[in-house]
Each structure stands twice: as structure tokens, then as C-alpha cells.
Amino acid sequence: TQPQPGTLSPQASALLQTLGLSPPPGPPPTRPVPSVMWRLFRRGPEATETQGSENEGPEMPQEPQPLPCHVEELGVPGNIVRHVLDGGASAPPEPALGSLCLEKPLFFNLSFLNPKEQLTLVRLELNFGAPADLAPAQDWELSLSHAQGPQLWGRPLHWHHREVLLSQTVPTLHDPLHFDMLALGRLGNSTFPQNLSLVLELLPGRDSDLPKGLCTKLGHSLEASLLVVTLDPQLCQPTSRKRR
Amino acid sequence: ATYLGPLDSPDPPCRARQLYINFREVGWHNWIIAPRGFMANYCQGHCFFPTATKISSLNHAVMQSLMHSVAPATTPPPCCVPVKLSPISVLFYDNSDNVVLRHYEDMVVDECGCR
């Protein structure tokens, strides 16, 4: 029996639930697939017969099959990798105060996390898109704070409700910056946060003479994302010793 | 989709048969980014004696197939089941517009045997 359009047959629901798949409602998603996800997919098991796909990523050679439930490229155990975009990306960056070049709230919805999964990696990526007038090598003071308490559009209502997680000098913004959020300390109060709210602050290094408008450009060209790796132990039985 | 090749015999021995799962046919191609499908395969065929001794069978299955051959009414033949399986990875969009890569163990039948 054909289910009503838009509804799932009981069989399909059962199958999706078994496979832990949750299809997006509505029209097909249009978000581009990040190259890191194509790269991780290509390193997947040989058995996947890719018949190609309209939005296939760059052709890459099939890599040898990794250990089951281990994400070799990231060096962590795991069988589920999620690429999560900053939910506040559309919110325009706030005009920075004083000598701050950029102050940007970052908000990541982590409600997909399932208590039976173990978090093995939460890697923040900041990609400033390297606008043309960005000097190739210039020190920047970058700090990441954990925004707590009540928020409005992902922005903490009270500035003192911030816990600085990291403050460091970065030599350039030309290449994507990666930060291991698990290593930086607890992610919210529970082991399974429903979301991750951060505030990114950027100060130009000493005696830097910034081109006019560069800070605004950096705020608009910034793409922040999280790579979240989890391990569902029930699906990753250690490979049983080959019998006989 | 299964490919029913010419039957190798009226009662074919236990082995892996082709079964291609095409995500487009179940309407999942909009949100499953890759692959478009994969060869899952399945096991089919008999485990009678002495065939069971020539394929991947446990000793118990060989004994059971022998018992079935001498006293079919009392002992059923062993079962033709997967004995070697491979994983696959699936890249898809979830319902929060995240791009997800999920690894599934034991999704492809590589080899069948009697158990």
C-alpha cells in the first residue's frame, strides 16, 4: 500500500529507526557537502558501491578499509560523524566594542546527540574565507568563551556570564583554524549538551594597521562549523575472532 | 533488485546471490548523498550432504547434513546463512540539515555457508 505522500509507511519508519536515520522533512536539502565529509566517506569500506551521485564530491581513490568504527583521519573511535553549521551564521556580527576587531556569537544545535552514543571528538573549525585584503601573515589575538545563562539569538544576555575557554595568538587567518572543544573542557553542564553557545572575539595583533572594513568582511566571510564524532558501542561489536 | 541468473541446478547449493539496494527506488535519494545504493546480496541454496562439506560449514553443520541425508524425517538440513559480511558507510542529511557520515557493520554479504 502506497503511504500518503509525505508520510512514511510503517515498514520504512521501522527501517529508518533501526538504521538511526532521520530524513529531513520537506524539499531536498541544498546545503553543499563539506569536502572533509566527502574525504571521510571515500575512506569508507570498499563494499560501498558508489554509483555516483549528482552532487558527487571530487573523485578520490578508494582508500584501504579502516578499522571498523574508527575514524582514521581524525584518529578517534567512532561510527557516526556529523558536520554541524553555526546556527547563528545568518545573525550579523555585532559591531565590536573598543579595539575588538570582531565579536561573534556561535551557536550549535546538538540536540541530535543520543545518550547511548559516546562523544569522542568535537572539533570547531573557523574558516574566515581569506578575504583579499587580509594580510597573509599577521598576528591575531583570538579568544573563545563559553556563553552561559539566558541568551537572545544565541547571544549571552549578560557579558559576565562568560567562561573563557581559550585565548591564543594565531599567526594568520588564511587557513581554517581547528579547536578540540572536548579538550578545552566541559561542554555545558551535562555530558550530553543540547547545544553549544560560544562567543568568538578577535583582536588584531600589536601595531597592526588594518585596512578599513576588514573586520566587517571577516565577520561576514566567517564560516564556523563543528565536526562531532560519536561511537555507538551497540553497533560496533569488536570484530569476532574468525571462527575455525 | 535481484538478478535471477540461469539456475545452476533445480536445487542450487548454498551461495551468495546478488541483491542490489537502490536508495532511489525507496525515495531516499533526496537526502542520502552517497552511495546511491549498494550490493547487499543474500544467501540461498541447500546444505545437503556432501555439498555441505565443500563450502564454508561448521563441523556440526556437516554432521547435521549427513544425518539429514540418512534420516531426512528426523533431522532437517543445516541453514544457508552469511558467514562473512562487510560494512558500508552512508553520507546523508539529517533532519537538522547536518551532513552525517554513518558507518554500518555487517551490511554486505560476502560469503555464505552452512550453519
Side-chain angles (χ1 to χ4, degrees):
Chain A
T1 54
Q2 284 303 321
Q4 294 305 315
T7 61
L8 283 174
S9 70
Q11 297 91 329
S13 302
L15 181 59
L16 288 168
Q17 191 175 350
T18 306
L19 294 176
L21 294 169
S22 50
T30 54
R31 178 192 161 191
V33 180
S35 57
V36 61
M37 295 303 283
W38 273 119
R39 207 167 50 243
L40 292 175
F41 172 72
R42 291 274 175 240
R43 295 176 69 87
E46 307 274 335
T48 304
E49 184 194 345
T50 49
Q51 298 291 313
S53 159
E54 290 82 16
N55 44 5
E56 180 98 21
E59 268 308 311
M60 295 186 189
Q62 285 287 352
E63 298 289 333
Q65 182 171 338
L67 293 173
C69 302
H70 189 91
V71 189
E72 229 167 295
E73 172 167 330
L74 303 172
V76 293
N79 59 320
I80 305 169
V81 183
R82 294 174 176 98
H83 186 277
V84 187
L85 281 180
D86 168 24
S90 53
E94 297 289 309
L97 308 172
S99 58
L100 263 180
C101 173
L102 177 65
E103 186 178 51
K104 182 99 173 49
L106 304 175
F107 178 79
F108 299 98
N109 175 0
L110 302 179
S111 57
F112 53 76
L113 283 177
N114 183 323
K116 68 179 180 176
E117 295 173 24
Q118 297 161 14
L119 267 178
T120 58
L121 180 74
V122 179
R123 186 182 81 173
L124 172 69
E125 176 176 291
L126 300 176
N127 192 334
F128 288 90
D133 47 356
L134 177 66
Q138 156 186 347
D139 279 356
W140 293 85
E141 295 302 319
L142 181 146
S143 81
L144 275 173
S145 305
H146 192 222
Q148 297 157 317
Q151 289 154 25
L152 196 58
W153 295 304
R155 186 182 169 81
L157 285 177
H158 310 297
W159 295 117
H160 56 275
H161 272 206
R162 282 188 189 179
E163 172 199 356
V164 176
L165 295 173
L166 162 136
S167 188
Q168 72 182 51
T169 302
V170 292
T172 174
L173 297 181
H174 256 253
D175 306 316
L177 302 172
H178 292 144
F179 302 95
D180 179 346
M181 301 310 290
L182 282 183
L184 279 182
R186 55 191 177 78
L187 277 171
N189 302 325
S190 68
T191 50
F192 284 95
Q194 285 301 299
N195 58 61
L196 179 63
S197 290
L198 302 169
V199 179
L200 164 68
E201 292 180 359
L202 204 56
L203 274 158
R206 283 176 308 286
D207 57 51
S208 299
D209 178 16
L210 295 183
K212 189 165 173 45
L214 175 62
C215 295
T216 308
K217 275 185 200 164
L218 287 173
H220 286 291
S221 64
L222 169 63
E223 183 173 294
S225 59
L226 274 192
L227 205 59
V228 181
V229 182
T230 56
L231 178 73
D232 181 340
Q234 285 173 356
L235 301 177
C236 284
Q237 304 305 331
T239 311
S240 57
R241 181 177 57 80
K242 181 134 183 64
R243 284 177 289 215
R244 300 182 63 229
Chain B
T2 60
Y3 306 98
L4 296 177
L7 278 181
D8 30 13
S9 75
D11 200 352
C14 168
R15 66 178 174 82
R17 296 163 195 261
Q18 283 203 342
L19 168 65
Y20 183 72
I21 294 185
N22 182 330
F23 292 131
R24 175 176 289 274
E25 287 187 15
V26 287
W28 292 2
H29 57 293
N30 280 337
W31 53 276
I32 290 189
I33 302 159
R36 274 194 183 156
F38 71 100
M39 272 298 181
N41 305 326
Y42 66 97
C43 295
Q44 189 183 39
H46 73 68
C47 281
F48 300 150
F49 188 84
T51 305
T53 62
K54 295 181 176 59
I55 58 179
S56 169
S57 306
L58 291 181
N59 293 335
H60 174 273
V62 173
M63 295 307 295
Q64 185 174 336
S65 69
L66 176 62
M67 286 308 298
H68 173 73
S69 67
V70 295
T74 64
T75 315
C79 301
C80 175
V81 295
V83 296
K84 183 172 176 291
L85 293 138
S86 297
I88 70 166
S89 291
V90 178
L91 195 60
F92 62 94
Y93 291 103
D94 71 4
N95 54 6
S96 307
D97 205 28
N98 300 318
V99 174
V100 185
L101 174 66
R102 197 163 172 143
H103 179 94
Y104 290 100
E105 290 291 304
D106 302 336
M107 288 287 265
V108 176
V109 174
D110 296 316
E111 192 184 327
C112 301
C114 301
R115 290 289 186 269

